Amino acid sequence: MSKQLTVTASILAKTEKRDMVKQALLKLIPPTLAEKGCLNYDLHQDNENPDRFYFYENWESHDHWQDHNASAHIAAHRKATEGAVVEVVINQLSPVS
């Protein structure tokens, strides 16, 4: 099996859409935690810029994370938040030690 994958996702909401985006992000947590290979899926909000949210995720493998990205709830989320998000930056990280 491939190595564990850590992912950080930074989501910047439009200020006027912040609450809607936050609620949409919160809705992703239960179905994602139920996915095979999901070790954790933690949502954070930036203390200095409340329009910015971060997911800190750990997956058993890259393949599990790819399955997550192809899931129906992620597709529905993208459609629901279209036009409300300024940017999404995703980083894939591997353990060094």
Side-chain angles (χ1 to χ4, degrees):
M1 179 175 248
S2 56
K3 291 191 235 178
Q4 179 178 319
L5 178 69
T6 297
V7 174
T8 60
S10 170
I11 303 100
L12 181 61
K14 292 182 178 179
T15 299
E16 67 276 12
K17 300 288 186 178
R18 176 192 319 139
D19 292 335
M20 184 274 286
V21 170
K22 183 177 184 176
Q23 291 308 309
L25 293 170
L26 286 166
K27 288 180 186 177
L28 289 175
I29 296 171
T32 299
L33 289 174
E35 289 180 60
K36 184 177 180 181
C38 180
L39 301 173
N40 70 290
Y41 194 72
D42 303 325
L43 180 62
H44 302 271
Q45 190 169 11
D46 193 303
N47 290 337
E48 294 182 19
N49 180 358
D51 295 340
R52 187 167 300 277
F53 299 91
Y54 295 91
F55 271 114
Y56 177 75
E57 315 168 27
N58 282 291
W59 296 89
E60 288 181 15
S61 71
H62 185 268
D63 289 343
H64 288 107
W65 180 66
Q66 289 292 87
D67 291 344
H68 163 70
N69 287 327
S71 69
H73 59 273
I74 290 295
H77 169 79
R78 287 182 180 133
K79 186 174 181 181
T81 59
E82 189 174 346
V85 173
V86 176
E87 71 175 0
V88 176
V89 177
I90 296 174
N91 296 291
Q92 300 176 48
L93 311 169
S94 296
V96 176
S97 61

